[in-house]
Amino acid sequence: MSIEEDFTEIYHMHAAKVYSICLGYASGDEMLAKDWQQETFVKVWNHRKSFKGHSAIGTWIYRIAVNVCLSDLRKPKLQRLSNDRMPPAEAEDTEERSQDEKLKKMYRCINQLTEQNKALILLELEEIPQATIAETVGLAHGAVRTRLSRIRKALLKCMTNGK
């Protein structure tokens, strides 16, 4: 198998999760998430020789994605992004509108988290195993488990009370 075929396979295996992670950091801005997803895989390609195999390839890719998002968010041009910047609702019935509002509220609550806690919950929402999350962010597995529990409680409080 050629390098390009290997990369294509890796891309197809991880692109959806990378996009979802980026979407969380982009507060639902799909265009920005796609840009970050593309930048992530450009970095994966450009730095493919630096991957030593000390962790799973997915762990390495998710770390790159988180770094791409955080790096871009620190740039002054993106500080104008508000928590309300979500794609327009195209929901036709009340149930879809209700789901869309819950999603917007969840993104607003996630945006209030610290950078590391945001990374933890976005990786968790993508059903990435906690051991992989721990390796990705450089924390002990037990610490990740404890933090995720606290983050879930904080998000539930935010979603129900708006705080």
Side-chain angles (χ1 to χ4, degrees):
M1 193 179 278
S2 72
I3 294 171
E4 289 83 8
E5 289 171 330
D6 283 345
F7 180 79
T8 301
E9 186 177 318
I10 289 168
Y11 175 83
H12 288 297
M13 286 174 54
H14 300 283
K17 285 188 180 186
V18 167
Y19 174 76
S20 294
I21 290 166
C22 293
L23 188 63
Y25 277 99
S27 299
D29 184 329
E30 293 178 4
M31 294 300 288
L32 184 57
K34 287 177 185 176
D35 287 347
W36 287 344
Q37 177 193 37
Q38 181 177 4
E39 186 178 340
T40 296
F41 283 101
V42 166
K43 286 182 182 288
V44 168
W45 174 259
N46 289 338
H47 299 284
R48 67 191 180 278
K49 292 179 183 172
S50 71
F51 178 68
K52 303 291 184 218
H54 298 299
S55 64
I57 188 83
T59 303
W60 183 66
I61 292 170
Y62 305 143
R63 182 74 247 166
I64 291 171
V66 168
N67 288 341
V68 164
C69 297
L70 291 176
S71 173
D72 211 32
L73 284 171
R74 289 182 185 123
K75 293 178 183 175
K77 66 177 180 159
L78 291 178
Q79 290 176 348
R80 68 182 183 274
L81 280 177
S82 74
N83 292 343
D84 298 324
R85 190 165 177 198
M86 290 287 291
E90 297 175 4
E92 308 236 336
D93 65 356
T94 55
E95 185 177 320
E96 286 183 42
R97 271 189 235 115
S98 174
Q99 285 297 101
D100 191 48
E101 288 303 314
K102 287 178 185 175
L103 188 61
K104 285 180 186 179
K105 194 172 193 177
M106 184 180 78
Y107 278 125
R108 282 192 293 267
C109 291
I110 288 173
N111 264 350
Q112 295 173 18
L113 298 171
T114 65
E115 288 178 0
Q116 190 172 53
N117 285 350
K118 187 185 260 191
L120 292 173
I121 197 65
L122 291 173
L123 291 168
E124 169 87 349
L125 289 172
E126 285 308 305
E127 298 178 358
I128 295 170
Q130 288 182 358
T132 303
I133 294 171
E135 194 173 339
T136 301
V137 298
L139 292 173
H141 187 193
V144 168
R145 213 174 25 249
T146 301
R147 279 222 197 150
L148 283 169
S149 175
R150 290 177 184 158
I151 292 166
R152 282 188 219 100
K153 287 177 186 173
L155 289 176
L156 182 60
K157 182 178 178 183
C158 179
M159 295 283 293
T160 55
N161 301 333
K163 296 181 181 181

